[in-house]
């Protein structure tokens, strides 16, 4: 059983900073692409930032220059540092990972349970 567990998040004022982290546990071979998504009330879940196993990153236009995604392949973790936060960044942040359970098998998509980030104006 593979689990992705987020930590961090919380409440911050406009312009503040927060970080969220995600750790994978269980029995698996390797984690490929990982990413952070968020879902605001009444809206669809959207990609915030992604990172390949090799460290290539991509960001949504709304967070470029403010958020930084990173990962530690040895520890099977991915983190998101969020600076200059805005009220529109508020939402539940979810970690996603493409996880291969065994060598030469297709990766499956796993999600964390989500962590709340609230930015007040």
């Amino acid at each position: 059983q593979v689990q992705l567990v987020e930590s961090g998040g919380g409440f911050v004022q406009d312009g503040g900073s927060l970080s969220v982290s995600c750790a994978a546990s269980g029995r698996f071979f390797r984690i490929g692409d990982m990413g952070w998504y968020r879902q605001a009330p009444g809206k669809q879940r959207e990609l915030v930032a992604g990172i390949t196993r090799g460290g290539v990153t991509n960001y949504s236009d709304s967070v470029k220059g403010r958020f930084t995604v990173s990962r530690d392949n040895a520890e099977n973790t991915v983190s998101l540092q969020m600076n200059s936060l805005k009220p529109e960044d508020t939402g539940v942040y979810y970690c996603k990972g493409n996880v291969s359970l065994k060598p030469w098998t297709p990766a499956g998509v796993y999600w964390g349970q989500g962590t709340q980030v609230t930015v007040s104006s």
Side-chain angles (χ1 to χ4, degrees):
Q1 182 86 7
V2 176
Q3 283 192 313
L4 299 181
V5 179
E6 297 100 339
S7 60
F11 182 93
V12 68
Q13 291 191 328
D14 192 355
S17 297
L18 282 175
S19 65
V20 290
S21 295
C22 172
S25 63
R27 294 178 63 87
F28 54 87
F29 169 64
R30 187 167 65 180
I31 305 177
D33 294 351
M34 301 188 80
W36 288 97
Y37 288 69
R38 69 184 176 198
Q39 188 165 18
K43 294 189 177 181
Q44 289 188 330
R45 193 174 297 188
E46 62 175 357
L47 173 69
V48 175
I51 184 167
T52 68
R53 185 171 178 83
V56 177
T57 59
N58 65 287
Y59 298 92
S60 69
D61 288 342
S62 63
V63 308
K64 278 180 184 176
R66 301 187 297 121
F67 290 13
T68 302
V69 62
S70 60
R71 67 187 288 172
D72 184 328
N73 292 333
E75 297 294 327
N76 295 309
T77 60
V78 61
S79 299
L80 185 69
Q81 176 64 41
M82 303 177 286
N83 298 328
S84 302
L85 281 160
K86 305 174 182 180
E88 51 264 43
D89 294 318
T90 295
V92 179
Y93 281 67
Y94 296 91
C95 168
K96 175 189 170 184
N98 294 347
V99 183
S100 298
L101 300 183
K102 296 180 181 180
W104 311 113
T105 59
V109 176
Y110 291 82
W111 292 90
Q113 82 287 352
T115 186
Q116 179 69 43
V117 170
T118 303
V119 185
S120 70
S121 56

